[in-house]
Amino acid sequence: MGNLNLVTGRPADLRLYLVTDYELALKAGRTELEVVRAAVAGGVTAVQLRDKTRETGELYRAGRELREFCASAGVAFIVNDRLDLALALEADGLHLGQGDLPLEVARKIAGERLFIGLSVFTPEETLKALAAGAGYLGASPVFTSSTKPDAGAGMGLDGLGRVVRTAGQTPVVAIGAINAGNAAGVIETGATGIAVISALVSAPDITGAARQLRRQIERNPK
Amino acid sequence: MGNLNLVTGRPADLRLYLVTDYELALKAGRTELEVVRAAVAGGVTAVQLRDKTRETGELYRAGRELREFCASAGVAFIVNDRLDLALALEADGLHLGQGDLPLEVARKIAGERLFIGLSVFTPEETLKALAAGAGYLGASPVFTSSTKPDAGAGMGLDGLGRVVRTAGQTPVVAIGAINAGNAAGVIETGATGIAVISALVSAPDITGAARQLRRQIERNPK
């Protein structure tokens, strides 16, 4: 199955992919929904709900607001890690890390209800993800983050290029310390899109920052 | 639907219900599986996997071992909070707290695959849980825990009795600072069973401690 956006009925547009961060939004004095609204106004095409801390019921209630807004905006709504929430929120997609449920297990439970993306770091992981039926790949991390050193050293643009070539027709979303200064180079590797957290969640002007990122992507569309 | 144990095909036996605690087991120098094996040898009839810290993939791998052992022992296997893991592990049941997914939402996703228990504190919550189709009720907390003060003040035996009478034919499992010294009184209220964490996970002799708890329950079977 493809990357179907349940609302638009078209393949999900993964060009500019916002990953939410509740704590980071709070620090900037914003709610998650405010961040998402402002980001979508600036051209974000996909939103991932990611949270490892809040209780499931609270996440479900917060997720319903985000899901509803994304549906009304025609933007893909994706849940990180939690297949239970992805199903409960009727998300378009589920994103799995290498430390989450095996993709085959998630697929068996979800049936045809979700597209499922998988984080990869190497061509080997990319091949395994393709064999498991990943709908898209999250190449992560591309650059070494100064604020998240535990994420490890980035694969760099060369590493990203190898993942992109291995992925063939499967979309690759690049993530890891990407910003307006390096986004164009990321897209030049052939990646379908870029995913960001702090570049939008912590931006003084979220809508303006999203517009700027979109411009970098449009310079080199896949 | 009832409390069906998928392996035995009989209603799940909820008389002595162990809730796992990975960190507490580690502190006692034991693996979760060692705790569960020793507890089942002493008469534990149901095991709940509960963990808010480990990554989903790690929980899935650990849960598979527990699930397999419980199936071989004919003991009910229940997952706390995480419907995704309950489905992935083909558990017998799911246990939801008041802060987890709404029961109706979980039931819609699970179909007929799981029995679903719900934590309640008052007769009002009990009535709501029954209306939502709870397969059993976890009356929690019964006593005030000295080690978990954030769990709040217990409902006491009077409060438990009210929950039990409100529940009618639906099984009630009592939890919260229950041990061999107060278990008999808990069962005298008409509760179906007792759930324990530290009374078994931290016991010097887990099997012996489980036998002692079972004796208290057998003195006053429902």
Side-chain angles (χ1 to χ4, degrees):
Chain A
M1 69 176 293
N3 277 347
L4 208 65
N5 178 321
L6 294 179
V7 174
T8 63
R10 291 191 296 272
D13 182 343
L14 302 174
R15 281 177 295 169
L16 182 51
Y17 183 127
L18 168 67
V19 179
T20 63
D21 189 316
Y22 171 74
E23 304 278 344
L24 207 59
L26 269 188
K27 271 184 207 163
R30 295 153 171 166
T31 69
E32 255 173 334
L33 185 59
E34 285 167 351
V35 168
V36 167
R37 281 180 178 278
V40 168
V44 155
T45 62
V47 173
Q48 182 192 110
L49 172 63
R50 182 180 188 280
D51 192 310
K52 306 281 186 186
T53 57
R54 280 178 287 175
E55 278 200 301
T56 305
E58 199 182 341
L59 268 174
Y60 173 69
R61 286 188 294 276
R64 288 223 297 182
E65 287 189 336
L66 297 184
R67 202 289 160 266
E68 195 176 328
F69 170 72
C70 288
S72 71
V75 162
F77 179 70
I78 299 156
V79 173
N80 184 281
D81 176 20
R82 297 287 299 264
L83 173 60
D84 48 354
L85 284 165
L87 293 172
L89 295 169
E90 298 180 13
D92 300 298
L94 170 70
H95 186 87
L96 297 173
Q98 294 283 334
D100 298 335
L101 275 184
L103 198 151
E104 298 87 337
V105 173
R107 172 55 68 210
K108 193 176 158 194
I109 295 167
E112 295 297 304
R113 277 177 285 184
L114 299 162
F115 65 81
I116 307 182
L118 189 60
S119 294
V120 299
F121 186 68
T122 62
E124 290 69 32
E125 286 181 354
T126 303
L127 288 172
K128 278 190 197 170
L130 296 174
Y136 75 92
L137 305 167
S140 167
V142 173
F143 300 117
T144 307
S145 168
S146 55
T147 55
K148 286 194 177 178
D150 57 326
M155 66 187 75
L157 292 179
D158 287 351
L160 176 60
R162 284 191 285 275
V163 166
V164 167
R165 287 191 295 279
T166 308
Q169 293 303 306
T170 301
V172 174
V173 178
I175 186 166
I178 298 174
N179 53 49
N182 57 27
V186 167
I187 295 297
E188 277 172 24
T189 66
T192 305
I194 60 171
V196 296
I197 306 178
S198 57
L200 288 177
V201 177
S202 305
D205 170 10
I206 294 174
T207 303
R211 281 204 189 102
Q212 203 182 353
L213 286 166
R214 270 297 290 269
R215 275 197 295 273
Q216 300 303 313
I217 296 165
E218 304 309 325
R219 280 174 55 199
N220 294 288
K222 195 181 183 179
Chain B
M1 72 175 294
N3 278 347
L4 206 65
N5 178 320
L6 294 179
V7 174
T8 63
R10 291 192 298 271
D13 182 343
L14 303 174
R15 283 178 294 170
L16 184 50
Y17 183 128
L18 168 67
V19 180
T20 62
D21 189 316
Y22 171 73
E23 305 276 345
L24 207 60
L26 269 188
K27 272 184 205 160
R30 296 153 171 166
T31 69
E32 257 172 331
L33 184 59
E34 284 167 352
V35 168
V36 167
R37 281 179 178 278
V40 168
V44 155
T45 62
V47 172
Q48 181 193 110
L49 172 63
R50 182 180 187 280
D51 191 310
K52 306 281 186 186
T53 56
R54 280 178 287 175
E55 277 200 301
T56 305
E58 198 182 341
L59 268 173
Y60 173 69
R61 288 187 294 277
R64 288 223 298 183
E65 288 189 334
L66 297 184
R67 202 290 160 266
E68 196 177 328
F69 170 72
C70 288
S72 71
V75 161
F77 179 71
I78 299 156
V79 174
N80 184 281
D81 175 20
R82 297 288 299 264
L83 173 60
D84 49 354
L85 284 165
L87 293 172
L89 295 168
E90 298 180 13
D92 299 300
L94 171 70
H95 186 87
L96 297 174
Q98 294 283 334
D100 298 336
L101 275 184
L103 198 150
E104 298 88 337
V105 173
R107 172 55 68 210
K108 193 176 159 195
I109 295 167
E112 295 297 305
R113 277 177 285 184
L114 299 162
F115 65 79
I116 306 182
L118 188 60
S119 295
V120 298
F121 186 69
T122 63
E124 290 69 32
E125 286 181 353
T126 303
L127 287 172
K128 278 190 197 171
L130 296 174
Y136 75 93
L137 304 167
S140 167
V142 173
F143 300 117
T144 307
S145 168
S146 55
T147 55
K148 286 195 177 177
D150 57 326
M155 67 187 75
L157 291 179
D158 288 350
L160 176 60
R162 283 191 287 274
V163 166
V164 167
R165 286 190 296 279
T166 308
Q169 294 302 305
T170 302
V172 174
V173 178
I175 185 165
I178 298 174
N179 53 50
N182 57 28
V186 167
I187 295 297
E188 277 171 25
T189 66
T192 305
I194 61 172
V196 296
I197 306 178
S198 57
L200 289 178
V201 177
S202 305
D205 170 11
I206 294 174
T207 302
R211 281 204 189 102
Q212 203 182 353
L213 286 167
R214 270 297 291 269
R215 276 198 295 273
Q216 301 302 314
I217 296 164
E218 303 309 325
R219 280 174 54 198
N220 293 288
K222 193 180 184 179

